[in-house]
Amino acid sequence: MTNLRRGRSFRLLAGGLGAALTLSACMGGTTDSGKDAAAGYDPKAAVTITWWTGQPEEQEKVAEQLAADYHTAHPNVTIKVSPGAPTTDDLLTKLSAGFTSDSYPDVSYAFGNWAGDLGASGKTQDLTSYVNDAAFDWNDFPAAAREVATADGKVIGIPALVDNLALIYNKKLFDAAGVAYPTDQWSWDDFRAAAKKLTNKATNTYGTAYSVSGSEDTTWHLWPLLWQHGGKILDGTKPAFNSDAGVAALETFRQMAVDDKSMYLDQTDEKYAPLFNSGHVAMMLSGPWSLLEIKEAKLAYGVVDLPGYNGDHQTVSGPDLWVLFDHGDVNRAGATRDFTKWLTSKEIDPKWNLAVGNLPLRTSEKDSPSSPPTSRSTRAARSSSTTWPTPSRPGRPHPATRCCPATSATPSPR
């Protein structure tokens, strides 16, 4: 199946950076007027808005049904729904072209690390005052998601998805090797020792795996170790991972891959998850997007927080957004806000995020009833919502600066 969250092979540097540079060139220092895009909005006005969902077929059907439900409740608002582009990755290029031809949508799905460039376009709404109204309950979204939705001090979108990396392990392989299951208190030394014991050449089984494809999968697994060692990705807008902390983070993986030979090195980033699902990798660092295929493989598995260094267990969080755009029409702007607020409410979000296999979006959703399971992704979401840990330590978001795409390259500390 296609993994929407990372585009199966994640957001590759070549496409992501090229699109971002093109987008930045098209933006050319444009600025907004400073006026509230929805000032004077008439909630009863007849209006048509365009929603680019960035979703594949099964999820797109869910989006279309939700748009129809909203139209039933608000007959004056017509929502034109489409994926917007062939893949989620292609949305950034499509938005860039739309800004030039004035054919961009009212609301679009966007990866969180596009926020800096989209915010610089001069085409986004400034939602800062809107979301800080008490009725919106902005603080019900995770802090990392709120941070990613903010570009240059302005809120340009509403969180669409939240997730984080954790440690997933195969209980059967642990039992067979006589190794105790991981805990939330594990150190990287504990992780390394277990991986070595779990590696079995006779059965072609590795203790763990790491993507060396140079994609964002590669860096996502590295950043938590960098942070735990006191390092950082950027110093302002300057790359800062070429540091002692960066070397220490990579050394952790080098020891397992080279010295212990307990780490499968995946040059494509598409092999290690199937190897985990087939029982040939005992532990992998991944997110809730992996749970559907794990359950389909009928594995007995567990999930805990990432291992830590000196008691620091920071993880990486990957919030994505619904970015709202301004067309100079107060009623379109206001209707788009109302729709997105409805879509991300604690009452409706379970019908979207749980239905397409994601985690609940709002903290308050733990007390909110979810929609009946109507598809395999819904059933997986039920599982992910009850088995995936909310990190006991906050997950840091990937930086949402205009220079950010360059940090998706495979790092080369000195």
Side-chain angles (χ1 to χ4, degrees):
M1 64 172 283
T2 298
N3 184 334
L4 171 68
R5 176 67 188 95
R6 301 281 173 243
R8 185 59 178 176
S9 57
F10 286 64
R11 288 163 265 168
L12 296 180
L13 171 65
L17 178 56
L21 291 175
T22 300
L23 184 59
S24 295
C26 291
M27 288 167 181
T30 54
T31 58
D32 58 55
S33 65
K35 180 181 178 182
D36 185 353
Y41 164 52
D42 177 5
K44 296 181 180 179
V47 63
T48 298
I49 62 175
T50 302
W51 178 23
W52 287 2
T53 67
Q55 308 298 310
E57 184 177 0
E58 184 177 356
Q59 289 90 334
E60 179 69 12
K61 290 178 181 178
V62 178
E64 290 172 356
Q65 182 58 57
L66 286 170
D69 292 345
Y70 188 82
H71 177 68
T72 298
H74 306 82
N76 60 306
V77 180
T78 300
I79 303 175
K80 293 183 177 180
V81 189
S82 76
T87 70
T88 314
D89 295 300
D90 294 327
L91 278 175
L92 190 61
T93 301
K94 189 72 176 291
L95 286 167
S96 174
F99 293 155
T100 301
S101 62
D102 196 29
S103 59
Y104 56 97
D106 295 279
V107 57
S108 176
Y109 194 88
F111 289 137
N113 59 347
W114 296 348
D117 284 291
L118 292 175
S121 70
K123 303 295 186 181
T124 57
Q125 293 193 41
D126 181 356
L127 305 172
T128 309
S129 297
Y130 179 70
V131 300
N132 283 311
D133 185 277
F136 194 90
D137 202 4
W138 185 231
N139 288 334
D140 197 24
F141 294 95
R146 300 196 309 268
E147 180 180 341
V148 167
T150 305
D152 293 327
K154 297 179 180 180
V155 178
I156 64 166
I158 310 301
L161 174 148
V162 294
D163 57 25
N164 57 272
L165 282 186
L167 170 58
I168 311 176
Y169 61 95
N170 183 319
K171 292 183 176 181
K172 182 178 179 180
L173 293 180
F174 272 77
D175 292 342
V179 178
Y181 294 159
T183 71
D184 289 337
Q185 288 72 45
W186 256 24
S187 67
W188 287 104
D189 287 340
D190 294 327
F191 180 79
R192 179 186 176 187
K196 191 171 182 178
K197 293 177 182 177
L198 291 159
T199 298
N200 187 333
K201 291 183 179 180
T203 59
N204 291 319
T205 301
Y206 289 84
T208 189
Y210 182 59
S211 168
V212 291
S213 65
S215 72
E216 192 154 345
D217 197 356
T218 302
T219 55
W220 257 58
H221 292 132
L222 180 65
W223 297 148
L225 280 88
L226 176 73
W227 293 327
Q228 291 173 15
H229 280 274
K232 51 188 176 180
I233 304 172
L234 299 172
D235 184 2
T237 59
K238 181 180 179 181
F241 51 80
N242 184 11
S243 63
D244 291 341
V247 172
L250 283 174
E251 176 65 9
T252 302
F253 290 151
R254 189 206 65 78
Q255 289 172 338
M256 288 187 281
V258 179
D259 298 343
D260 303 342
K261 295 180 172 55
S262 62
M263 175 179 280
Y264 173 77
L265 299 178
D266 185 354
Q267 297 185 32
T268 68
D269 84 20
E270 295 189 14
K271 294 180 179 178
Y272 73 89
L275 286 173
F276 178 87
N277 295 338
S278 64
H280 289 283
V281 169
M283 300 180 288
M284 71 173 177
L285 310 182
S286 192
W289 56 86
S290 295
L291 293 185
L292 176 58
E293 291 180 350
I294 290 173
K295 288 190 67 63
E296 288 177 339
K298 296 181 170 56
L299 288 185
Y301 70 97
V303 185
V304 296
D305 284 347
L306 286 188
Y309 177 74
N310 285 344
D312 186 340
H313 292 257
Q314 292 183 73
T315 184
V316 61
S317 178
D320 291 338
L321 305 173
W322 297 119
V323 176
L324 279 65
F325 297 99
D326 182 9
H327 289 268
D329 183 323
V330 297
N331 291 325
R332 285 177 70 176
T336 302
R337 291 182 184 187
D338 282 353
F339 168 67
T340 311
K341 179 181 179 181
W342 173 86
L343 179 67
T344 59
S345 68
K346 68 178 182 180
E347 294 80 15
I348 302 301
D349 181 62
K351 297 179 181 180
W352 170 246
N353 269 311
L354 290 188
V356 300
N358 299 326
L359 297 180
L361 191 57
R362 289 176 174 262
T363 303
S364 60
E365 286 183 48
K366 63 181 185 297
D367 300 319
S368 176
S370 62
S371 58
T374 57
S375 68
R376 66 176 189 161
S377 59
T378 305
R379 292 191 291 272
R382 290 294 190 92
S383 298
S384 67
S385 66
T386 56
T387 63
W388 197 261
T390 299
S392 56
R393 300 87 179 170
R396 287 202 200 183
H398 198 291
T401 64
R402 294 188 67 184
C403 68
C404 173
T407 67
S408 295
T410 305
S412 301
R414 36 175 209 202

